[in-house]
Amino acid sequence: MSNFEIIQSRDKEYVANTYGRFPVAMVSGKNATCYDADGKEYVDLTSGIGVNSLGFCDDGWIKAVTGQLSKLQHISNLYYTEPCGKLAEMLCQRTGMKKVFFANGGAEANEGAIKCARKYSFDKYGAGRSKIVTLRNSFHGRTVTTLSATGQDVFHNYFFPFTEGFEFAEPNDIADLKEKSAGACAVMLELIQGEGGVLPIAKEYVKEAEKFCKENDLLLIIDEVQTGVGRTGSLYCFEQYGIAPDIVTSAKGIGGGLPLAAILFGEKTEYVLKAGDHATTFGGNPIACAGGVEVISRLDESFLGEVAKKGEYIRERVRAMPHVRGITGLGLMLGIELDDDIKAADVVKKGIQNGVLLLTAKTKVRLLPPLTITYPELDRALEAIGKTLTNM
Ligand SMILES: *Cc1c(COP(=O)(O)O)cnc(C)c1O
């Protein structure tokens, strides 16, 4: 048996079969380059679904994480630790938000945001004003409540009864949002629907939604689990929309590869959740936060400018490739729209054979490379994508 076959057969027997894995086992990597169990090299345009923002095994990140690891790995939120407060301070100073709650993943961050919105309204208006409007085709997570918040019927199956109190508005249709908002306490949306197909929501619509929310004291929750932490060329995507959300959720890229998520609270929401209202055992783990401090401190203006430039570089080259109808997205969150007869999943499979790791999002090929990807790595990836599409 090959190294891969040994790893695969054990996994198939003992790991719950909830994932359709590709027939590859990864063992090591540096920046956007990684190696499988039999030594084959790949360029990674997935960053572990937007998680490894500084790529594989970044030197500064390893130093930050292992430095904390050899001091104190965990103590619980009953005590103070330095990395948690440092990261919260950086996030608030960079975004203008006021307070941070740390969680472990995107769904958990969104759950906390939902709880905060409902409590804000309960405290001020009493029971009943609990509905949250989200958008059709959105994705907000896999817990029972965040599945309920997800505006795609395919996710509303098997696990009944789902959490009540969610209604879905048509993206970019402000009249529909206003109509669906009767009796609501919040509007929650992604600025670029990621899992839904890398679909940016129109700026004018988001601005109008913000205005409508302010006028009616609905909280505006922006799910930046995928778009946040430099992914779109600004620290958070909402900056490019020129809005001031009441709550922002962040996860995927924030820990640089360790499980970490954050709920950012604005002026209206910073004191809503009080001692005992919300908690999590692992949230704010000092190792994960030390990694987060390194990630955020690296994402200065010049770094973010590079993210935008690399995105343009990819766009220009991919646009000229066969079977490409268009490219959507922002910065290094890109969706390649293909000819109708080309299946995105087939492109990803063939890409692996040609040494490039890609993602899908609905009918598109999705790219979420590490933000630190170098131009030589990009060129290798683009060559492999070109070869893959030419042979489809
Ligand atoms: C990935 C994602 C989530 C869920 O995050 P998990 O860490 O998998 O729970 C929620 N919202 C958006 C926009 C996402 O992209």
Side-chain angles (χ1 to χ4, degrees):
M1 285 210 284
S2 68
N3 293 337
F4 166 68
E5 284 164 342
I6 294 165
I7 293 169
Q8 184 190 42
S9 61
R10 188 190 295 122
D11 196 289
K12 284 223 153 146
E13 184 159 357
Y14 295 110
V15 177
N17 296 171
T18 58
Y19 298 104
R21 298 199 207 278
F22 296 109
V24 181
M26 290 303 172
V27 293
S28 67
K30 192 74 189 169
N31 205 35
T33 305
C34 60
Y35 300 89
D36 73 15
D38 296 293
K40 184 176 166 181
E41 183 181 291
Y42 304 83
V43 193
D44 174 33
L45 299 190
T46 74
S47 60
I49 321 192
V51 168
N52 300 328
S53 25
L54 304 179
F56 296 111
C57 300
D58 173 84
D59 293 337
W61 182 83
I62 288 181
K63 193 160 172 263
V65 164
T66 54
Q68 181 59 42
L69 180 59
S70 54
K71 283 195 277 188
L72 183 100
Q73 82 276 29
H74 173 83
I75 183 61
S76 91
N77 285 305
L78 296 172
Y79 303 91
Y80 294 92
T81 54
E82 194 179 31
C84 169
K86 262 193 178 170
L87 181 56
E89 178 184 45
M90 291 173 101
L91 289 169
C92 290
Q93 287 179 347
R94 294 279 300 271
T95 60
M97 301 300 280
K98 300 293 180 199
K99 297 268 188 296
V100 181
F101 178 92
F102 289 109
N104 306 287
E108 192 195 354
N110 285 337
E111 287 264 348
I114 290 163
K115 284 172 74 175
C116 176
R118 286 184 168 178
K119 182 158 188 289
Y120 172 84
S121 191
F122 185 92
D123 288 347
K124 208 163 162 183
Y125 302 99
R129 191 180 175 273
S130 57
K131 188 166 82 180
I132 294 174
V133 181
T134 66
L135 298 188
R136 291 231 162 263
N137 197 48
S138 57
F139 182 80
H140 297 296
R142 296 278 188 171
T143 61
V144 172
T145 294
T146 55
L147 278 178
S148 299
T150 291
Q152 301 184 53
D153 293 338
V154 290
F155 288 105
H156 304 148
N157 220 334
Y158 322 123
F159 313 118
F160 301 101
F162 285 95
T163 308
E164 56 184 294
F166 292 94
E167 197 155 353
F168 312 117
E170 213 43 60
N172 302 320
D173 180 345
I174 195 72
D176 192 43
L177 183 81
K178 289 179 179 176
E179 193 189 315
K180 302 272 165 67
S181 296
C185 64
V187 170
M188 175 157 89
L189 49 90
E190 299 157 272
L191 296 171
I192 302 173
Q193 293 186 328
E195 305 302 314
V198 196
L199 297 170
I201 305 299
K203 214 171 256 185
E204 311 77 69
Y205 170 82
V206 174
K207 290 278 241 183
E208 280 200 62
E210 181 197 33
K211 184 165 169 271
F212 176 74
C213 285
K214 291 231 148 71
E215 285 165 2
N216 294 280
D217 200 19
L218 303 174
L219 297 181
L220 180 60
I221 306 170
I222 303 295
D223 178 347
E224 292 236 29
V225 169
Q226 194 159 151
T227 53
V229 195
R231 178 55 55 191
T232 66
S234 52
L235 187 61
Y236 284 91
C237 190
F238 78 79
E239 299 162 35
Q240 297 184 60
Y241 277 72
I243 56 167
D246 299 300
I247 302 176
V248 176
T249 56
S250 183
K252 292 195 165 86
I254 195 170
L258 289 172
L260 182 66
I263 313 171
L264 279 54
F265 299 112
E267 247 157 41
K268 270 190 180 180
T269 53
E270 64 172 318
Y271 297 112
V272 172
L273 295 173
K274 298 185 166 58
D277 289 337
H278 192 55
T280 176
T281 300
F282 286 111
N285 170 275
I287 300 169
C289 285
V293 167
E294 175 68 14
V295 170
I296 300 298
S297 65
R298 293 271 288 279
L299 304 194
D300 60 14
E301 285 311 309
S302 96
F303 183 105
L304 294 169
E306 274 302 307
V307 169
K309 267 196 221 151
K310 287 176 205 171
E312 279 308 311
Y313 187 82
I314 297 174
R315 271 171 192 273
E316 267 174 41
R317 278 149 190 84
V318 169
R319 212 176 271 133
M321 290 178 187
H323 303 300
V324 173
R325 282 223 311 248
I327 305 181
T328 59
L330 209 54
L332 287 175
M333 177 174 180
L334 297 168
I336 306 173
E337 222 177 326
L338 301 162
D339 287 335
D340 287 339
D341 57 329
I342 307 289
K343 284 210 173 74
D346 293 338
V347 175
V348 173
K349 266 188 219 157
K350 294 214 170 129
I352 292 174
Q353 289 164 13
N354 292 327
V356 63
L357 305 182
L358 307 165
L359 295 162
T360 61
K362 292 276 148 62
T363 58
K364 290 188 186 120
V365 169
R366 177 174 41 152
L367 311 181
L368 296 173
L371 308 179
T372 49
I373 192 166
T374 63
Y375 283 95
E377 283 172 326
L378 271 180
D379 286 338
R380 277 194 284 133
L382 289 162
E383 195 187 316
I385 297 172
K387 183 177 163 194
T388 303
L389 288 172
T390 304
N391 293 313
M392 292 303 289

